[in-house]
Amino acid sequence: MVPAREHSQRLPLPRNRPSPTKVTVLDMQPIEPAVGGGRLRLLGLYHNLGELVEATYVGTYDWPGPGYRDHQLTSTLREIDVPLSDRHFAAADEWRRLAGGKTVIDASFPMLAHHSPEYVQAAKAAARDADVVHGAQLLVLRDLRSAQRRVTLRREAVAREHPRHRAR
């Protein structure tokens, strides 16, 4: 049996440890300030993926006003927020009108992203440097091709909205 103090000691990392896996996450909201369920969930998911994972989160604001920001939230999580353009908000307002006043800016984002080329450019730049790309806004990368790219789709929205996928 190993004494408790020896068992709890951390093993030193090898000197020639592998380079970190780079993960890019694309979404429609900022993480900070982490208020409310969605932002707290994002911070909880991505703030500490491990010493050998570096995450870059590219988000935006679904309201006009805030500007661009690029900051390090934790030692392994960088957040980049790129504001949507006025043209994007105008198009989203038209889609909301067509949807009977329902908020559709998040659901329509893949079809309207071309109105916010700065966001698309930031998403593509982050994805180009990543080993893994994850998130709700992957369709903005339609023309970014790479045989080595591993892409995962976020299915939480489907699980929430589609009765067949709900937990039983």
Side-chain angles (χ1 to χ4, degrees):
M1 181 166 236
V2 177
R5 72 178 193 285
E6 288 179 34
H7 180 67
S8 66
Q9 287 179 346
R10 229 176 145 175
L11 296 175
L13 289 171
R15 292 175 200 246
N16 59 349
R17 71 183 194 180
S19 59
T21 299
K22 295 184 181 203
V23 175
T24 291
V25 180
L26 306 176
D27 210 338
M28 249 309 286
Q29 62 184 321
I31 295 176
E32 282 291 325
V35 294
R39 293 183 190 186
L40 288 169
R41 179 182 57 82
L42 290 169
L43 184 60
L45 282 172
Y46 302 116
H47 81 283
N48 185 13
L49 293 174
E51 292 177 349
L52 294 177
V53 178
E54 291 177 0
T56 300
Y57 178 92
V58 181
T60 187
Y61 312 95
D62 59 1
W63 67 93
Y68 176 90
R69 73 177 172 177
D70 182 341
H71 59 132
Q72 199 72 32
L73 293 180
T74 68
S75 63
T76 58
L77 175 59
R78 174 184 177 198
E79 178 183 16
I80 301 170
D81 296 308
V82 183
L84 300 177
S85 70
D86 291 340
R87 282 186 20 207
H88 194 126
F89 284 113
D93 284 344
E94 177 61 14
W95 280 50
R96 181 176 54 220
R97 186 188 66 72
L98 294 170
K102 304 259 191 267
T103 300
V104 296
I105 193 165
D106 52 348
S108 65
F109 190 82
M111 286 76 65
L112 300 179
H114 66 278
H115 291 301
S116 293
E118 294 84 7
Y119 177 89
V120 174
Q121 183 179 13
K124 287 180 178 181
R128 209 172 282 117
D129 293 338
D131 299 307
V132 178
V133 179
H134 173 79
Q137 306 308 335
L138 294 176
L139 290 177
V140 302
L141 304 177
R142 281 186 289 246
D143 60 342
L144 184 67
R145 304 281 185 240
S146 170
Q148 287 102 359
R149 183 87 45 230
R150 296 181 308 270
V151 177
T152 61
L153 295 173
R154 188 172 81 185
R155 301 196 187 280
E156 295 128 24
V158 172
R160 278 195 308 270
E161 299 299 324
H162 199 285
R164 193 176 115 223
H165 296 284
R166 287 191 185 134
R168 294 182 176 109

